[in-house]
Amino acid sequence: MIAQREIQGFVTYLASAFALAVYLVLAIVPDSLLHAIGITYYPSKTWAVSIPLWIISLIPFTLIFYTATNLCNTPPLSHPSTVTDEHASVCNANMGSYFHHSRLMDVPITTINRFMLYEKYSKQNPQQRSSVSSARRSASPTRI
């Protein structure tokens, strides 16, 4: 027995082939030939160009809109949901006291960044910090 999905796929294929044929006939065949056949009521020829252009321009808009919606719905890095959920125990203390706990806990990303980066750069003198930041600026791509 033929599956329902196969029938629907075949009908969709036939419908899209028929729609393409009608589109090409209305877009390519001159008006005088359509009138001779007896077809007098049809959309303007400009729709044969404008509808595909709308569809093509809708694709990048959809991608940009989808990405923007996801970025707007993403919580900030300091938000607890980026690291944990409601069943986890989050470490609210500083990083040094975290290592003295005997149980496993989630550490917020802001605490990890402070622990890993702040201590590294606070031990350098100001001249070394400025050379590190200037090296980062020179390594970043320049805009023209």
Side-chain angles (χ1 to χ4, degrees):
M1 182 171 187
I2 299 175
Q4 184 71 19
R5 189 181 267 318
E6 293 175 7
I7 295 171
Q8 290 173 348
F10 183 67
V11 169
T12 303
Y13 169 73
L14 288 179
S16 64
F18 179 73
L20 178 65
V22 169
Y23 168 76
L24 290 176
V25 166
L26 290 177
I28 296 174
V29 174
D31 291 338
S32 59
L33 188 59
L34 289 175
H35 287 288
I37 297 173
I39 301 173
T40 57
Y41 186 74
Y42 53 87
S44 174
K45 299 271 186 188
T46 57
W47 289 106
V49 176
S50 58
I51 289 178
L53 283 176
W54 284 355
I55 292 171
I56 288 173
S57 63
L58 188 66
I59 293 170
F61 173 77
T62 304
L63 293 174
I64 291 170
F65 183 75
Y66 179 74
T67 304
T69 303
N70 282 337
L71 288 175
C72 288
N73 291 332
T74 302
L77 286 177
S78 60
H79 197 270
S81 67
T82 57
V83 179
T84 185
D85 59 3
E86 66 271 4
H87 302 291
S89 59
V90 179
C91 174
N92 292 327
N94 63 10
M95 198 65 174
S97 65
Y98 171 73
F99 291 115
H100 299 293
H101 289 293
S102 60
R103 61 184 185 152
L104 185 62
M105 299 181 83
D106 288 337
V107 181
I109 194 162
T110 53
T111 306
I112 291 176
N113 287 340
R114 189 178 336 113
F115 177 74
M116 294 181 73
L117 299 175
Y118 180 72
E119 289 185 8
K120 178 179 178 181
Y121 291 115
S122 65
K123 292 177 185 174
Q124 297 175 350
N125 62 28
Q127 187 177 9
Q128 287 176 325
R129 276 184 270 179
S130 65
S131 66
V132 168
S133 61
S134 65
R136 284 186 183 161
R137 280 193 298 265
S138 64
S140 65
T142 57
R143 293 184 178 173
I144 297 174

